[in-house]
């Protein structure tokens, strides 16, 4: 089962989400939101923008590991990936987000 997991209350009044694949691995993590409604809007934005190739920004970290950001139509980062060992693994991560995001359910913790 695909999940939007971890509508987490971190510290006071901050909420975030993680998109998890069927195997339970986190494939996209959000920024911190100040309201649950903002977080829910972020999830909706990921569902929409994950289907648009041009919304993925492929990057390389300072230690040389590839990763990606998913951006909304206004250019704001709405999710980021883990660091990968190869560009092929990063590209597979993007494919996984495309496949899992649209129909993922929300599970609150």
């Amino acid at each position: 089962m695909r999940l939007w997991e971890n509508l987490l209350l971190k510290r006071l009044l901050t909420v975030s989400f993680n998109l998890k694949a069927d195997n339970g691995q986190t494939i996209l993590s959000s920024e911190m939101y100040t309201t649950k409604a903002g977080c829910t809007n972020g999830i909706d934005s990921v569902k929409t923008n994950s289907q648009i190739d041009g919304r993925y920004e492929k990057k390389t970290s300072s230690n040389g590991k590839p990763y990606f950001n998913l951006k909304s139509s206004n250019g704001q980062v709405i999710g980021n990936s883990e660091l990968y060992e190869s560009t092929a693994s990063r590209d597979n991560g993007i494919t996984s987000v495309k496949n899992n995001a649209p129909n993922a359910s929300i599970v609150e913790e």
Side-chain angles (χ1 to χ4, degrees), residues 19 45-56 70-71 94-103:
L19 174 62
S45 184
V46 168
K47 286 182 175 188
T48 299
N49 289 290
S50 65
Q51 302 308 295
I52 303 169
D53 289 336
R55 300 282 197 260
Y56 290 91
L70 177 61
K71 293 186 169 187
I94 290 171
T95 299
S96 185
V97 170
K98 288 179 179 181
N99 291 338
N100 286 283
N103 299 311

Side-chain angles (χ1 to χ4, degrees), residues 5-9 20 107-109:
E5 189 175 280
N6 298 340
L7 288 178
L8 294 177
L9 296 174
K20 295 200 172 199
V107 175
E108 294 187 41
E109 288 187 350

